[in-house]
């Protein structure tokens, strides 16, 4: 294996873990966005499997409200899993065409964060809007390997407490990661070698998460949020335009 590629992988998961530890999300967004600069998106998604699943299960179980959240979000989570599997069947593994799609998803996510759009989901709309958001998230996950759009804006619009929101993100990301893993196995992208690389990526990921948790109490959350969004916007623009240049 190319030593430079190994160093890039370690740095990528350190940075992605740092973002995850600080904000509670962003691991797949940062990791796949950076890795897709040097490897196919499907390979990047496969390498992310173990770190993403482990950190998201940890995040989902850390809060006190898992049962009420599962009852409330169950239809959305089920639709997300179904959408991911449907997308894997329709699109196959994320391929070269996923790169500009991923860039567009990152740009959209960054713009939503910049403008702080006052999205609110009314309780009476949850029975149909939740599954719709889950299905759309699943299709985007299958196409790009990233599962933040539209799941994160939808969950943020539910008016949950901070702890419940972080836990709901963990639940959503866990389901999406597991479903994407099944899709990658079906597409014969995730093999034993990549699984071993994914397990090895746990160490820098956890180091980054711990550093992010330390950083969270010492740096203004708003300053870090703005820096993160600027980085996502630039990375998204690069990926979206890469095939045109």
């Amino acid at each position: 294996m190319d030593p430079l590629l190994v160093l890039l992988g370690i740095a990528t998961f350190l940075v992605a873990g740092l973002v995850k530890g600080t904000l509670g999300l962003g691991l797949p967004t940062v990791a796949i966005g950076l890795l897709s600069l040097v490897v196919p998106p499907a390979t990047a998604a496969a390498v992310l499997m173990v770190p993403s699943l482990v950190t998201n299960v940890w995040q989902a179980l850390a809060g006190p409200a898992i049962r009420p959240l599962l009852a409330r979000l169950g239809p959305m989570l089920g639709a997300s899993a179904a959408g991911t599997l449907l997308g894997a069947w329709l699109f196959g593994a994320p391929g070269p065409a996923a790169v500009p799609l991923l860039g567009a998803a990152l740009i959209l996510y960054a713009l939503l964060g910049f403008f702080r759009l006052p999205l609110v989901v009314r309780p009476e709309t949850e029975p149909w809007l939740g599954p719709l958001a889950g299905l759309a998230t699943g299709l985007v996950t299958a196409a790009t390997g990233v599962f933040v759009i539209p799941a994160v804006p939808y969950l943020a619009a539910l008016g949950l407490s901070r702890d419940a929101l972080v836990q709901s993100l963990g639940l959503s990301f866990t389901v999406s990661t597991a479903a994407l893993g099944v899709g990658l196995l079906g597409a014969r992208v995730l093999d034993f070698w990549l699984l071993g690389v994914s397990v090895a990526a746990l160490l820098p990921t956890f180091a980054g998460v711990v550093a992010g948790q330390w950083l969270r109490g010492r740096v203004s959350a708003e300053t870090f949020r703005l820096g993160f969004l600027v980085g996502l916007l630039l990375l998204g623009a690069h990926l979206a335009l890469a095939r045109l240049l």
Side-chain angles (χ1 to χ4, degrees):
M1 184 181 292
D2 186 344
L4 186 60
L5 191 59
V6 173
L7 289 176
L8 176 62
I10 292 173
T12 292
F13 282 100
L14 278 171
V15 172
L18 179 71
V19 174
K20 176 77 168 179
T22 306
L23 300 181
L25 73 163
L27 177 63
T29 308
V30 173
I32 294 184
L34 290 174
L35 289 177
S36 293
L37 296 174
V38 293
V39 299
T43 302
V47 173
L48 184 64
M49 279 294 104
V50 174
S52 181
L53 188 61
V54 172
T55 56
N56 286 321
V57 168
W58 177 17
Q59 182 174 324
L61 296 177
I66 190 167
R67 288 188 178 181
L69 283 176
L70 280 173
R72 182 175 183 180
L73 302 177
M76 175 204 167
L77 297 176
S80 178
T84 304
L85 295 176
L86 175 62
W89 178 70
L90 291 174
F91 312 138
V99 174
L101 290 175
L102 174 58
L106 295 183
I107 292 171
L108 177 59
Y109 183 60
L111 290 177
L112 287 173
F114 275 125
F115 291 106
R116 294 181 181 270
L117 297 181
L119 301 176
V120 177
V121 174
R122 297 190 303 273
E124 61 269 22
T125 66
E126 285 187 48
W128 62 267
L129 189 57
L132 185 61
L135 181 62
T137 299
L139 293 174
V140 172
T141 297
T144 68
V146 174
F147 28 82
V148 297
I149 300 293
V152 171
Y154 171 80
L155 292 173
L158 292 179
L160 300 170
S161 69
R162 178 179 176 180
D163 289 342
L165 176 59
V166 171
Q167 192 170 18
S168 69
L169 291 171
L171 284 170
S172 177
F173 297 161
T174 296
V175 170
S176 294
T177 302
L180 181 60
V182 172
L184 292 174
L185 282 172
R188 298 182 179 180
V189 173
L190 183 58
D191 55 25
F192 283 109
W193 186 84
L194 283 179
L195 185 60
V197 174
S198 187
V199 171
L202 273 173
L203 185 59
T205 300
F206 273 115
V209 169
V210 171
Q213 291 173 340
W214 176 85
L215 185 65
R216 183 189 299 169
R218 290 165 175 78
V219 175
S220 164
E222 181 64 14
T223 299
F224 188 89
R225 186 188 72 87
L226 290 176
F228 173 57
L229 292 175
V230 168
L232 284 186
L233 190 62
L234 293 175
L235 179 59
H238 174 82
L239 293 175
L241 299 174
R243 291 171 63 85
L244 301 178
L245 301 178

